Amino acid sequence: MITIPYLTAVSTYFSYGLLFAFGQLRDFFRRFIDWWLTSNLHGYAPICLGHEDFYIRRLYHRIQDCFERPISSAPDAWFDVVERYSNDNNKTFKRTTKTSRCLNLGSYNYLGFGSFDEYCTPRVIESLKKFSASTCSSRVDAGTTSVHAELEECVTRFVGKPAAVVFGMGYATNSAIIPVLIGKGGLIISDSLNHSSIVNGARGSGATIRVFQHNTPSHLERVLREQIAEGQPRTHRPWKKIIVVVEGIYSMEGEICHLPEVVAICKKYKAYVYLDEAHSIGAIGKTGKGICELLGVDTADVDVMMGTFTKSFGSCGGYIAGSKELVQYLKHQCPAHLYATSIPTPSAQQIISAIKVILGEDGSNRGAQKLARIRENSNFFRAELQKMGFEVLGDNDSPVMPIMLYNPAKIPAFSRECLRQKVAVVVVGFPATPLLLARARICISASHSREDLIRALKVISKVGDLSGIKYFPAEPKKIEQTKNDIKLD
Amino acid sequence: MYVRALPTTDVNRNTEWFTYPGVWTTYILILFFSWLLVLSVFHCSPGIAWTIVHLAHFTVTYHSFHWKKGTPFGDDQGIYNRLTWWEQIDNGKQLTRNRKFLTVVPVVLYLIASHTTDYQHPMLFLNTLAVFVMVVAKFPHMHKVRIFGINGDQ
């Protein structure tokens, strides 16, 4: 539920209209100029059909320097951002050798495993020396090492399911698994704000896709009832299978899914639940076991639990955890398991070590400390931002907090000014978010210290004043209140 | 002062921006301010200014709603490549509130333009032609219809 000031909504539409109009004008003139130029591609079909590259050429290129900034160090709390310059108006960039040390508010480094760790990194280096950087084979040929088997067993223990299978890439896990689980004649009901890997997998499966209003279990129930009653399109036969796909933490909103209600509805209508815990595994829950632990949902009620190791574990890859029969079936059918190269062994070792640290099996309580710290940091940061008058989305305890910007001009303004003040933020606009709702997404890490957060708050407050994004009234400072109290006394 | 924005269920990023609050007001305000702009640039009578606004509105909206097909980005892999913007909004459902609003606006513009020019020729003829084409293009029966193959696919 986002609250927009009405004037901001009107001005945002107007800004986009103006940008669109200018883009069309420039395209119009470009067509005349290009008519006179000869081209040696006569007879070839155009690469882009119609105007499908319009957004990239006329809107995205204008602010391209805010995205894809190269970094030259590990994604720790502070990192080095490479400085670039452009000679042709942001179309191409040249990297310089200068770097600037910035505060990292963009990496998904939730538990701080993104940089040197005293338990994980020596073990990873050892595994690199022993097993080398790549397995050079798919899982079924020669790519399963003892580390892979240990990793899958570790994941089952951590997630709380009977069996698990691990893949080399998180995006590919979703887009390769969903077509294996469901096909033509099936129904996928997915949340309207699901990640593009799920959308890709769903489109690739050939099943019918229906969307329910974001995080609204009542609308999910309505859609389910309607679809079950109607049956398959045209033939109206009953659906072969119904899968409801939800995410643990939605990466663009920072909201936590209403999992207990969703699971209750799915049980009632006999639909399967597919939970994508990319951002929530390892980051929320008392011992980091994700959204099921946080909301008290029994893991046996969620049929397919998917997650990635890129966020909280500082590695790469994804996993699917489920019943033994499900995992057996996937290992025989999924192309990401049969044909794709398996996850590199050092990365697998990093995940195993990270899981051991989180569970406390390395003999220290660093895992519990990290989890407590990320929860503290997230709640502190969110509360302070809201006190300053920013519109911050996301639930309490969620380490992802988007700050709403709305106007397209504020996207590059916020990003560039923050970079000048040595704070690196990630800004997101259309089409990753709805047109009106551009935002700056802050990801808090357990490796941020209190001073880092206070510094970030000062910078964001200053930049927020400059770009006018404090849409809510700020809360009055407590010092003035105590002064008044003393006066009254 | 504040409005609440519920996330929509429209997956088509090209049209879901039309479901958020504030669009209708922006549309009407753009028309009004362009009338003021035309008046100040051309020093003409208000009627001629409304006629110019009406005809410019016709050209722009016909081109962007009923001529251009597809979406301005490539993420959706071209599933809307055969549909114009008008056929894409509200997922192809006819007679929704948005569609009714967009049909009423050219008619109201026509009435204002004809009234302020006192129904004189040749403005009346041009305005009537414009509104006729606009309204017919928005009929539910014209969904995915390409007359004589104009603007059809290759």
Side-chain angles (χ1 to χ4, degrees), chain A residues 1-7 9-10 13-14 20 24 49 51-56 192-193 200 203 211-214 219 430-437 471-473, chain B residues 1-9 11 13-14 16-23 25-26 29-30 63-64 68-81:
Chain A
M1 190 67 63
I2 299 175
T3 326
I4 318 176
Y6 199 68
L7 220 56
V10 170
Y13 282 124
F14 180 69
F20 193 78
Q24 296 281 21
L49 213 55
H51 60 150
E52 68 182 18
D53 58 341
F54 175 80
Y55 180 78
I56 294 194
S192 68
L193 295 176
N200 234 328
R203 284 196 184 143
V211 160
F212 71 93
Q213 237 172 39
H214 173 62
H219 194 244
F430 186 69
T433 61
L435 187 79
L436 219 56
L437 310 173
Y471 295 113
F472 288 157
Chain B
M1 246 279 278
Y2 290 98
V3 276
R4 295 200 158 267
L6 278 163
T8 51
T9 53
V11 270
R13 290 262 182 229
N14 191 23
E16 52 113 46
W17 58 272
F18 210 74
T19 57
Y20 280 91
V23 205
T25 318
T26 316
L29 282 179
I30 290 181
H63 178 79
S64 42
K68 271 255 177 281
K69 296 195 280 195
T71 53
F73 30 79
D75 292 351
D76 49 19
Q77 295 166 350
I79 45 183
Y80 302 109
N81 271 352

Coordinates of all heavy atoms in Angstrom, one line a residue, chain A residues 1-7 9-10 13-14 20 24 49 51-56 192-193 200 203 211-214 219 430-437 471-473, chain B residues 1-9 11 13-14 16-23 25-26 29-30 63-64 68-81:
Chain A
M1 N 0.9 -1.2 0.0 CA 0.0 0.0 0.0 C 0.9 1.2 0.0 O 1.6 1.5 1.0 CB -0.9 0.0 1.3 CG -1.9 1.0 1.2 SD -3.2 0.6 0.0 CE -3.8 -0.9 0.6
I2 N 0.9 1.9 -1.1 CA 1.8 3.1 -1.2 C 1.0 4.3 -1.2 O 0.0 4.4 -1.9 CB 2.6 2.9 -2.5 CG1 3.4 1.7 -2.5 CG2 3.5 4.1 -2.7 CD1 4.1 1.4 -3.7
T3 N 1.4 5.3 -0.4 CA 0.6 6.6 -0.4 C 1.4 7.6 -1.1 O 2.5 8.0 -0.8 CB 0.5 7.0 1.1 OG1 0.4 5.8 1.9 CG2 -0.7 7.9 1.3
I4 N 0.8 8.1 -2.2 CA 1.5 9.1 -3.1 C 0.8 10.4 -2.9 O -0.4 10.5 -2.9 CB 1.4 8.7 -4.5 CG1 1.6 7.2 -4.8 CG2 2.3 9.5 -5.4 CD1 1.4 6.9 -6.2
P5 N 1.6 11.5 -2.7 CA 0.9 12.8 -2.8 C 0.4 13.1 -4.2 O 1.0 12.7 -5.1 CB 2.1 13.8 -2.5 CG 3.2 13.0 -1.9 CD 3.0 11.6 -2.4
Y6 N -0.8 13.6 -4.3 CA -1.5 13.7 -5.5 C -0.7 14.5 -6.5 O -0.6 14.2 -7.7 CB -2.9 14.3 -5.3 CG -3.8 14.0 -6.5 CD1 -4.3 12.7 -6.7 CD2 -4.3 15.0 -7.3 CE1 -5.1 12.4 -7.7 CE2 -5.1 14.7 -8.3 CZ -5.6 13.5 -8.5 OH -6.4 13.2 -9.6
L7 N -0.2 15.6 -6.1 CA 0.6 16.5 -7.0 C 1.8 15.8 -7.5 O 2.2 16.0 -8.7 CB 1.1 17.7 -6.1 CG 1.0 19.1 -6.8 CD1 -0.4 19.3 -7.3 CD2 1.4 20.2 -5.9
A9 N 2.0 12.6 -8.1 CA 1.5 11.6 -9.2 C 1.3 12.4 -10.5 O 1.8 11.9 -11.5 CB 0.2 11.0 -8.7
V10 N 0.6 13.5 -10.4 CA 0.4 14.3 -11.6 C 1.6 14.8 -12.3 O 1.8 14.6 -13.5 CB -0.6 15.5 -11.3 CG1 -0.7 16.4 -12.4 CG2 -1.9 15.0 -10.9
Y13 N 3.5 11.8 -14.0 CA 2.9 11.5 -15.3 C 3.3 12.5 -16.4 O 3.7 12.2 -17.5 CB 1.4 11.5 -15.3 CG 0.8 10.2 -14.7 CD1 0.0 10.3 -13.6 CD2 1.1 9.0 -15.2 CE1 -0.5 9.1 -13.0 CE2 0.6 7.8 -14.7 CZ -0.2 7.9 -13.6 OH -0.7 6.8 -13.0
F14 N 3.3 13.8 -15.9 CA 3.6 14.9 -16.9 C 5.1 14.7 -17.3 O 5.4 14.9 -18.5 CB 3.4 16.2 -16.2 CG 3.7 17.3 -17.1 CD1 3.0 17.6 -18.2 CD2 4.8 18.1 -16.9 CE1 3.3 18.6 -19.1 CE2 5.1 19.2 -17.7 CZ 4.4 19.4 -18.8
F20 N 8.7 11.2 -23.1 CA 8.2 10.4 -24.2 C 8.1 11.2 -25.4 O 8.5 10.8 -26.5 CB 6.9 9.8 -23.8 CG 6.4 8.7 -24.7 CD1 6.9 7.4 -24.6 CD2 5.4 9.0 -25.6 CE1 6.4 6.4 -25.4 CE2 5.0 8.0 -26.4 CZ 5.5 6.7 -26.3
Q24 N 10.1 10.9 -28.9 CA 9.4 10.7 -30.2 C 9.9 11.7 -31.2 O 10.1 11.4 -32.4 CB 7.9 10.8 -30.1 CG 7.3 9.7 -29.3 CD 7.1 8.4 -30.0 OE1 7.8 8.1 -31.0 NE2 6.3 7.5 -29.5
L49 N 12.1 -4.9 -33.6 CA 10.8 -4.8 -34.2 C 10.1 -3.6 -33.7 O 10.0 -3.4 -32.5 CB 10.0 -6.1 -33.9 CG 9.1 -6.6 -35.0 CD1 9.9 -6.8 -36.3 CD2 8.5 -7.9 -34.5
H51 N 9.1 -0.3 -32.2 CA 9.8 0.6 -31.3 C 10.1 -0.1 -30.0 O 10.0 0.6 -28.9 CB 9.0 1.9 -31.2 CG 7.6 1.7 -30.6 ND1 7.0 2.6 -29.8 CD2 6.7 0.7 -30.6 CE1 5.8 2.2 -29.4 NE2 5.6 1.0 -29.9
E52 N 10.5 -1.4 -30.0 CA 10.7 -2.0 -28.8 C 12.0 -1.6 -28.1 O 12.2 -1.9 -26.9 CB 10.7 -3.5 -28.9 CG 11.9 -4.1 -29.7 CD 11.8 -5.6 -29.9 OE1 10.7 -6.1 -29.7 OE2 12.8 -6.2 -30.2
D53 N 12.8 -0.8 -28.8 CA 14.0 -0.3 -28.1 C 13.9 1.1 -27.8 O 14.9 1.8 -27.4 CB 15.3 -0.6 -29.0 CG 15.1 0.1 -30.3 OD1 14.0 0.4 -30.7 OD2 16.1 0.3 -31.0
F54 N 12.7 1.7 -27.9 CA 12.5 3.1 -27.7 C 12.8 3.5 -26.3 O 13.5 4.4 -26.0 CB 11.0 3.4 -28.0 CG 10.7 4.9 -27.6 CD1 11.0 5.9 -28.5 CD2 10.1 5.2 -26.4 CE1 10.7 7.2 -28.2 CE2 9.8 6.5 -26.1 CZ 10.1 7.5 -27.0
Y55 N 12.4 2.7 -25.3 CA 12.6 3.0 -23.9 C 14.1 3.1 -23.6 O 14.6 4.0 -22.9 CB 11.9 2.0 -23.0 CG 12.1 2.4 -21.5 CD1 11.4 3.4 -20.9 CD2 13.1 1.7 -20.8 CE1 11.6 3.7 -19.6 CE2 13.3 2.1 -19.5 CZ 12.6 3.1 -18.9 OH 12.8 3.4 -17.6
I56 N 14.8 2.1 -24.1 CA 16.3 2.0 -23.8 C 17.0 3.2 -24.5 O 17.8 3.8 -23.9 CB 16.8 0.6 -24.4 CG1 16.2 -0.5 -23.6 CG2 18.3 0.6 -24.3 CD1 16.9 -1.8 -23.7
S192 N 1.5 -10.7 -8.3 CA 1.7 -9.8 -9.4 C 3.1 -9.2 -9.4 O 3.5 -8.7 -10.5 CB 0.7 -8.6 -9.4 OG 0.9 -7.8 -8.3
L193 N 3.8 -9.2 -8.3 CA 5.1 -8.6 -8.3 C 6.2 -9.6 -8.2 O 7.3 -9.4 -7.6 CB 5.2 -7.6 -7.1 CG 4.3 -6.4 -7.2 CD1 4.4 -5.6 -6.0 CD2 4.7 -5.6 -8.4
N200 N 9.6 -15.8 -16.3 CA 10.2 -16.5 -17.4 C 9.9 -18.0 -17.4 O 9.6 -18.6 -18.4 CB 11.7 -16.3 -17.3 CG 12.3 -15.7 -18.5 OD1 11.8 -16.0 -19.6 ND2 13.4 -15.0 -18.4
R203 N 6.3 -18.6 -18.2 CA 5.9 -18.4 -19.6 C 6.5 -19.6 -20.4 O 5.9 -20.1 -21.3 CB 6.5 -17.1 -20.1 CG 5.7 -16.0 -19.7 CD 6.0 -14.7 -20.5 NE 5.2 -13.6 -20.0 CZ 5.7 -12.4 -19.9 NH1 6.9 -12.1 -20.3 NH2 4.9 -11.4 -19.4
V211 N -2.7 -14.0 -12.4 CA -2.0 -13.2 -11.5 C -3.0 -12.7 -10.4 O -4.1 -12.4 -10.7 CB -1.4 -12.0 -12.2 CG1 -1.1 -10.9 -11.3 CG2 -0.1 -12.4 -13.0
F212 N -2.5 -12.7 -9.1 CA -3.4 -12.2 -8.1 C -2.7 -11.0 -7.5 O -1.5 -10.8 -7.6 CB -3.7 -13.2 -7.0 CG -2.6 -13.6 -6.1 CD1 -2.4 -13.0 -4.9 CD2 -1.7 -14.6 -6.5 CE1 -1.3 -13.4 -4.1 CE2 -0.7 -15.0 -5.7 CZ -0.5 -14.4 -4.5
Q213 N -3.5 -10.1 -6.9 CA -3.1 -8.8 -6.4 C -2.0 -9.1 -5.3 O -2.1 -9.9 -4.5 CB -4.2 -8.1 -5.7 CG -4.5 -6.8 -6.3 CD -5.8 -6.2 -5.7 OE1 -6.0 -6.3 -4.5 NE2 -6.5 -5.5 -6.6
H214 N -1.0 -8.3 -5.4 CA 0.2 -8.5 -4.6 C -0.1 -8.7 -3.1 O -0.7 -7.8 -2.5 CB 1.1 -7.3 -4.7 CG 2.3 -7.3 -3.8 ND1 3.3 -8.3 -3.9 CD2 2.7 -6.5 -2.8 CE1 4.2 -8.0 -2.9 NE2 3.8 -6.9 -2.3
H219 N -7.7 -11.9 -2.5 CA -7.8 -11.9 -3.9 C -7.3 -13.3 -4.5 O -7.9 -13.8 -5.5 CB -7.0 -10.8 -4.5 CG -7.3 -10.5 -6.0 ND1 -6.4 -10.7 -7.0 CD2 -8.5 -10.1 -6.6 CE1 -7.0 -10.4 -8.1 NE2 -8.2 -10.1 -7.9
F430 N 11.1 2.5 -14.0 CA 10.4 1.7 -15.0 C 11.3 1.1 -16.0 O 12.3 1.7 -16.3 CB 9.5 2.8 -15.7 CG 8.5 2.3 -16.7 CD1 7.4 1.5 -16.2 CD2 8.7 2.5 -18.0 CE1 6.5 1.0 -17.1 CE2 7.7 2.0 -18.9 CZ 6.7 1.3 -18.5
P431 N 11.1 -0.1 -16.5 CA 10.0 -1.0 -16.3 C 10.2 -2.1 -15.2 O 9.4 -2.9 -15.1 CB 9.9 -1.7 -17.6 CG 11.3 -1.7 -18.2 CD 12.0 -0.5 -17.6
A432 N 11.3 -2.0 -14.4 CA 11.4 -2.9 -13.3 C 10.4 -2.7 -12.2 O 9.9 -3.6 -11.5 CB 12.8 -2.9 -12.7
T433 N 10.0 -1.4 -12.1 CA 8.9 -1.1 -11.1 C 7.8 -0.4 -12.0 O 8.0 -0.1 -13.1 CB 9.4 0.0 -10.1 OG1 9.7 1.2 -10.9 CG2 10.6 -0.5 -9.4
P434 N 6.6 -0.3 -11.4 CA 5.5 0.4 -12.1 C 6.0 1.8 -12.5 O 6.9 2.4 -11.9 CB 4.4 0.5 -11.1 CG 4.6 -0.7 -10.2 CD 6.1 -0.8 -10.1
L435 N 5.3 2.4 -13.5 CA 5.8 3.7 -14.0 C 5.9 4.8 -12.9 O 6.9 5.5 -12.9 CB 4.8 4.2 -15.1 CG 5.2 5.4 -15.8 CD1 6.2 5.0 -16.9 CD2 4.0 6.1 -16.5
L436 N 4.9 4.8 -12.1 CA 4.8 5.9 -11.1 C 5.8 5.7 -10.0 O 6.2 6.7 -9.3 CB 3.4 5.9 -10.5 CG 2.8 7.3 -10.3 CD1 2.8 8.1 -11.5 CD2 1.4 7.1 -9.7
L437 N 6.2 4.5 -9.7 CA 6.8 4.2 -8.4 C 8.2 3.9 -8.5 O 8.7 2.8 -8.1 CB 6.0 2.9 -7.8 CG 4.5 3.1 -7.8 CD1 3.9 1.8 -7.3 CD2 4.1 4.1 -6.9
Y471 N 8.4 13.1 1.4 CA 7.0 13.3 1.2 C 6.1 13.4 2.4 O 5.0 13.8 2.3 CB 6.4 12.2 0.2 CG 7.1 12.3 -1.1 CD1 7.9 11.2 -1.5 CD2 6.9 13.3 -2.0 CE1 8.5 11.3 -2.8 CE2 7.5 13.4 -3.2 CZ 8.3 12.3 -3.6 OH 8.9 12.4 -4.8
F472 N 6.6 12.8 3.5 CA 5.8 12.8 4.7 C 6.4 13.9 5.6 O 7.6 14.1 5.6 CB 5.8 11.5 5.4 CG 5.0 10.4 4.7 CD1 5.3 9.1 4.8 CD2 4.0 10.8 3.8 CE1 4.6 8.1 4.2 CE2 3.3 9.8 3.1 CZ 3.6 8.5 3.3
P473 N 5.6 14.4 6.5 CA 6.1 15.4 7.5 C 7.1 14.7 8.4 O 6.8 13.6 8.9 CB 4.9 15.9 8.2 CG 3.8 14.9 8.0 CD 4.1 14.2 6.7
Chain B
M1 N -5.0 15.1 -0.2 CA -3.6 15.4 -0.6 C -2.9 14.1 -1.0 O -2.1 14.1 -2.0 CB -2.9 16.0 0.6 CG -2.5 17.4 0.3 SD -1.0 17.5 -0.6 CE 0.3 17.3 0.6
Y2 N -3.1 13.0 -0.2 CA -2.4 11.8 -0.5 C -3.4 10.8 -1.1 O -4.6 10.8 -0.8 CB -1.8 11.1 0.8 CG -0.7 11.9 1.4 CD1 -0.8 12.8 2.4 CD2 0.6 11.7 0.9 CE1 0.2 13.4 2.9 CE2 1.7 12.4 1.4 CZ 1.5 13.2 2.5 OH 2.6 13.9 3.0
V3 N -2.9 10.0 -2.1 CA -3.8 8.9 -2.6 C -3.1 7.6 -2.3 O -1.9 7.5 -2.2 CB -4.0 9.1 -4.1 CG1 -5.1 10.0 -4.4 CG2 -2.7 9.5 -4.8
R4 N -3.9 6.6 -2.2 CA -3.4 5.2 -2.0 C -3.3 4.5 -3.4 O -4.2 4.6 -4.1 CB -4.3 4.4 -1.1 CG -4.3 5.0 0.3 CD -4.8 4.0 1.3 NE -4.3 4.4 2.6 CZ -3.2 4.1 3.1 NH1 -2.4 3.2 2.5 NH2 -2.8 4.5 4.3
A5 N -2.1 3.9 -3.6 CA -1.9 3.2 -4.9 C -1.9 1.7 -4.6 O -1.0 1.2 -4.0 CB -0.7 3.7 -5.5
L6 N -2.9 1.0 -5.0 CA -2.9 -0.5 -4.9 C -2.2 -1.0 -6.0 O -2.4 -0.6 -7.2 CB -4.3 -1.0 -4.9 CG -5.1 -0.9 -3.6 CD1 -6.6 -1.1 -4.0 CD2 -4.7 -2.0 -2.7
P7 N -1.3 -2.0 -5.8 CA -0.6 -2.6 -7.0 C -1.6 -3.4 -7.8 O -2.5 -4.0 -7.3 CB 0.4 -3.6 -6.3 CG 0.2 -3.6 -4.9 CD -0.9 -2.6 -4.5
T8 N -1.5 -3.2 -9.2 CA -2.5 -3.8 -10.1 C -2.1 -5.2 -10.4 O -1.0 -5.7 -10.1 CB -2.5 -3.0 -11.4 OG1 -1.2 -2.9 -11.8 CG2 -3.1 -1.7 -11.2
T9 N -3.0 -5.9 -11.1 CA -2.7 -7.3 -11.5 C -2.4 -7.3 -13.0 O -2.3 -8.3 -13.6 CB -3.9 -8.2 -11.3 OG1 -5.1 -7.5 -11.9 CG2 -4.2 -8.4 -9.8
V11 N -0.1 -7.4 -15.9 CA 1.3 -7.7 -16.1 C 1.9 -6.9 -17.3 O 3.1 -6.8 -17.4 CB 1.5 -9.2 -16.4 CG1 1.7 -9.9 -15.1 CG2 0.4 -9.8 -17.2
R13 N 3.4 -4.0 -18.8 CA 4.0 -2.8 -18.2 C 3.7 -1.6 -19.1 O 3.8 -0.4 -18.6 CB 5.5 -2.9 -18.1 CG 6.0 -3.8 -17.1 CD 6.3 -3.1 -15.8 NE 6.8 -4.0 -14.8 CZ 6.4 -4.0 -13.6 NH1 5.5 -3.1 -13.2 NH2 6.9 -4.8 -12.7
N14 N 3.2 -1.8 -20.3 CA 2.9 -0.7 -21.2 C 1.6 -0.1 -20.8 O 1.4 1.1 -21.1 CB 2.8 -1.3 -22.6 CG 2.8 -0.2 -23.7 OD1 3.2 0.9 -23.4 ND2 2.3 -0.5 -24.8
E16 N -0.1 -0.8 -17.6 CA -0.6 -0.8 -16.2 C -0.4 0.6 -15.5 O -1.0 0.9 -14.5 CB 0.2 -1.8 -15.4 CG 1.6 -1.8 -15.5 CD 2.3 -1.4 -14.2 OE1 2.0 -1.9 -13.2 OE2 3.2 -0.5 -14.3
W17 N 0.4 1.5 -16.2 CA 0.5 2.8 -15.6 C -0.8 3.6 -15.7 O -1.0 4.6 -14.9 CB 1.6 3.6 -16.3 CG 1.4 3.8 -17.7 CD1 1.8 3.0 -18.7 CD2 0.8 4.9 -18.4 NE1 1.5 3.5 -20.0 CE2 0.9 4.7 -19.8 CE3 0.2 6.1 -18.0 CZ2 0.3 5.6 -20.7 CZ3 -0.4 7.0 -18.9 CH2 -0.3 6.7 -20.2
F18 N -1.7 3.2 -16.6 CA -3.0 3.9 -16.7 C -4.0 3.6 -15.6 O -5.0 4.2 -15.5 CB -3.6 3.5 -18.1 CG -4.4 4.6 -18.6 CD1 -3.8 5.8 -19.2 CD2 -5.8 4.6 -18.6 CE1 -4.5 6.8 -19.7 CE2 -6.5 5.6 -19.2 CZ -5.9 6.7 -19.7
T19 N -3.6 2.6 -14.8 CA -4.6 2.2 -13.7 C -4.3 2.9 -12.4 O -5.0 2.8 -11.4 CB -4.5 0.7 -13.5 OG1 -3.2 0.4 -13.1 CG2 -4.9 -0.1 -14.7
Y20 N -3.2 3.7 -12.3 CA -2.9 4.3 -11.1 C -3.6 5.7 -11.0 O -4.0 6.2 -12.0 CB -1.3 4.6 -11.0 CG -0.6 3.3 -10.5 CD1 -0.2 2.4 -11.5 CD2 -0.5 3.0 -9.2 CE1 0.5 1.2 -11.0 CE2 0.1 1.9 -8.8 CZ 0.6 1.0 -9.7 OH 1.2 -0.2 -9.3
P21 N -3.8 6.2 -9.7 CA -4.5 7.4 -9.6 C -3.8 8.6 -10.2 O -2.5 8.6 -10.2 CB -4.7 7.6 -8.1 CG -3.6 6.8 -7.5 CD -3.4 5.6 -8.4
G22 N -4.5 9.6 -10.7 CA -3.9 10.8 -11.2 C -3.8 10.9 -12.7 O -3.5 11.9 -13.2
V23 N -4.0 9.8 -13.4 CA -3.9 9.8 -14.8 C -4.9 10.7 -15.5 O -4.6 11.5 -16.4 CB -4.0 8.4 -15.5 CG1 -3.3 8.4 -16.8 CG2 -3.5 7.4 -14.6
T25 N -6.6 13.1 -14.3 CA -6.4 14.6 -14.1 C -5.2 15.1 -14.9 O -5.3 16.2 -15.5 CB -6.0 14.8 -12.6 OG1 -6.9 14.0 -11.8 CG2 -6.2 16.2 -12.2
T26 N -4.2 14.3 -15.0 CA -3.0 14.8 -15.8 C -3.4 15.0 -17.3 O -3.1 15.9 -17.9 CB -1.9 13.7 -15.7 OG1 -1.7 13.3 -14.4 CG2 -0.6 14.3 -16.3
L29 N -5.5 18.1 -17.6 CA -4.6 19.3 -17.4 C -3.7 19.5 -18.6 O -3.5 20.7 -18.9 CB -3.8 19.1 -16.1 CG -4.5 19.3 -14.8 CD1 -3.5 19.1 -13.6 CD2 -5.0 20.7 -14.7
I30 N -3.2 18.4 -19.2 CA -2.3 18.6 -20.3 C -3.1 19.3 -21.5 O -2.7 20.2 -22.1 CB -1.7 17.3 -20.8 CG1 -0.7 16.8 -19.8 CG2 -1.1 17.4 -22.2 CD1 -0.1 15.5 -20.3
H63 N -2.3 8.2 -33.4 CA -1.0 7.6 -33.6 C -0.6 6.7 -32.5 O -0.2 5.5 -32.7 CB 0.0 8.7 -33.9 CG 1.4 8.1 -34.1 ND1 1.8 7.6 -35.4 CD2 2.4 8.0 -33.3 CE1 3.0 7.2 -35.3 NE2 3.5 7.4 -34.1
S64 N -0.7 7.2 -31.2 CA -0.2 6.4 -30.1 C -1.2 5.3 -29.7 O -0.7 4.3 -29.2 CB 0.2 7.3 -29.0 OG -0.7 8.3 -28.7
K68 N 0.4 2.7 -33.4 CA 1.6 2.1 -33.0 C 1.2 0.7 -32.3 O 0.3 0.7 -31.4 CB 2.3 2.9 -31.9 CG 3.3 3.9 -32.5 CD 4.7 3.4 -32.3 CE 5.7 4.2 -32.9 NZ 5.9 4.0 -34.3
K69 N 1.9 -0.3 -32.7 CA 1.6 -1.6 -32.1 C 2.8 -2.1 -31.2 O 3.9 -1.6 -31.5 CB 1.4 -2.7 -33.2 CG 0.1 -2.3 -34.0 CD -0.3 -3.5 -34.8 CE 0.5 -3.6 -36.0 NZ -0.1 -4.5 -37.0
G70 N 2.6 -2.9 -30.3 CA 3.6 -3.4 -29.4 C 3.9 -2.6 -28.2 O 3.1 -1.7 -27.9
T71 N 5.1 -2.8 -27.6 CA 5.4 -2.0 -26.4 C 6.8 -1.4 -26.6 O 7.6 -1.9 -27.4 CB 5.5 -3.0 -25.2 OG1 6.4 -4.1 -25.6 CG2 4.2 -3.5 -24.9
P72 N 7.1 -0.3 -25.9 CA 8.4 0.4 -26.1 C 9.6 -0.3 -25.4 O 10.6 0.3 -25.3 CB 8.2 1.8 -25.6 CG 7.1 1.7 -24.7 CD 6.2 0.6 -25.1
F73 N 9.4 -1.5 -25.0 CA 10.6 -2.2 -24.4 C 10.5 -3.7 -24.8 O 9.5 -4.2 -25.1 CB 10.6 -2.1 -22.9 CG 9.3 -2.0 -22.2 CD1 8.5 -3.1 -22.0 CD2 8.9 -0.7 -21.9 CE1 7.3 -2.9 -21.4 CE2 7.6 -0.6 -21.3 CZ 6.8 -1.7 -21.1
G74 N 11.6 -4.4 -24.7 CA 11.7 -5.7 -25.3 C 11.5 -6.8 -24.2 O 11.6 -8.0 -24.5
D75 N 11.2 -6.5 -22.9 CA 11.2 -7.5 -21.9 C 10.1 -8.5 -22.1 O 10.2 -9.6 -21.6 CB 11.0 -6.8 -20.5 CG 12.1 -6.0 -20.1 OD1 13.2 -6.1 -20.8 OD2 12.0 -5.3 -19.1
D76 N 9.0 -8.1 -22.7 CA 7.9 -9.0 -22.7 C 7.9 -9.9 -24.0 O 7.0 -10.6 -24.3 CB 6.5 -8.3 -22.7 CG 6.5 -7.2 -23.7 OD1 7.4 -7.2 -24.6 OD2 5.7 -6.2 -23.6
Q77 N 9.1 -9.9 -24.6 CA 9.3 -10.8 -25.8 C 8.3 -10.8 -26.8 O 8.0 -11.8 -27.5 CB 9.5 -12.3 -25.2 CG 10.7 -12.4 -24.3 CD 10.6 -13.7 -23.6 OE1 9.6 -14.4 -23.5 NE2 11.7 -14.0 -22.9
G78 N 7.7 -9.6 -27.0 CA 6.9 -9.4 -28.2 C 5.5 -10.1 -28.2 O 5.0 -10.3 -29.2
I79 N 4.9 -10.4 -27.0 CA 3.6 -11.0 -27.0 C 2.5 -10.0 -27.4 O 1.4 -10.4 -27.7 CB 3.3 -11.7 -25.7 CG1 3.6 -10.9 -24.5 CG2 4.0 -13.1 -25.6 CD1 3.3 -11.6 -23.2
Y80 N 2.8 -8.7 -27.3 CA 1.8 -7.8 -27.6 C 2.1 -7.1 -29.0 O 1.5 -6.1 -29.3 CB 1.8 -6.7 -26.5 CG 1.5 -7.2 -25.2 CD1 2.5 -7.2 -24.2 CD2 0.3 -7.7 -24.8 CE1 2.2 -7.7 -22.9 CE2 0.0 -8.2 -23.6 CZ 1.0 -8.2 -22.6 OH 0.8 -8.7 -21.4
N81 N 2.9 -7.7 -29.8 CA 3.4 -7.1 -31.0 C 2.3 -6.8 -32.0 O 2.4 -6.1 -32.9 CB 4.5 -7.8 -31.6 CG 5.8 -7.4 -31.1 OD1 5.9 -6.4 -30.4 ND2 6.9 -8.1 -31.5

